């Protein structure tokens, strides 16, 4: 395969705005930024930190099928900010 060069992976970044609307009509905006190419540089760090979080931080999560947020919640967000180059910001 082909893909981005090492330089492109390491110098890439992303800045995404998620907008959610609650049942009562309230709106929440959250920005997520990453310091590497999202497809190659950042995804591998997110997967590794998710595995570490499951092993070390989310030990009370019972077996079954879970989304990362449901299984690991704030512990995963903290790991991603501390070790994977992501930032999460509540915009409004």
């Amino acid at each position: 395969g082909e893909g981005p060069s090492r330089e492109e992976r390491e110098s890439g970044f992303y800045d995404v705005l998620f907008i959610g609307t609650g049942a009562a009509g309230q709106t929440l905006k959250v920005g997520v930024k990453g310091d590497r190419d999202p497809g190659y540089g950042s995804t591998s760090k997110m997967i590794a930190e998710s595995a570490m979080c499951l092993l070390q931080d989310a030990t009370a999560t019972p077996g079954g099928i879970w989304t990362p947020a449901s299984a690991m919640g704030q512990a995963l967000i903290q790991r991603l900010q501390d070790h994977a180059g992501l930032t999460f910001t509540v915009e409004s």
Side-chain angles (χ1 to χ4, degrees), residues 6-13 35-37:
R6 181 180 187 143
E7 180 183 343
E8 290 171 323
R9 290 189 310 265
E10 292 179 1
S11 65
F13 67 94
D35 67 349
R36 298 285 171 107
D37 174 83

Side-chain angles (χ1 to χ4, degrees), residues 16-39:
V16 182
L17 179 64
F18 293 94
I19 303 171
T21 304
Q26 70 277 29
T27 300
L28 178 66
K29 297 177 183 178
V30 177
V32 179
K33 296 180 183 180
D35 67 349
R36 298 285 171 107
D37 174 83

Side-chain angles (χ1 to χ4, degrees), residues 45-46 49-50 52-53 57 68-69 72-88:
K45 294 191 294 182
M46 287 187 271
E49 290 304 326
S50 294
M52 294 300 295
C53 189
D57 305 323
M72 299 173 275
Q74 190 61 41
L76 179 58
I77 290 171
Q78 193 61 52
R79 276 192 164 278
L80 294 175
Q81 292 183 126
D82 292 347
H83 305 290
L86 276 74
T87 58
F88 298 84

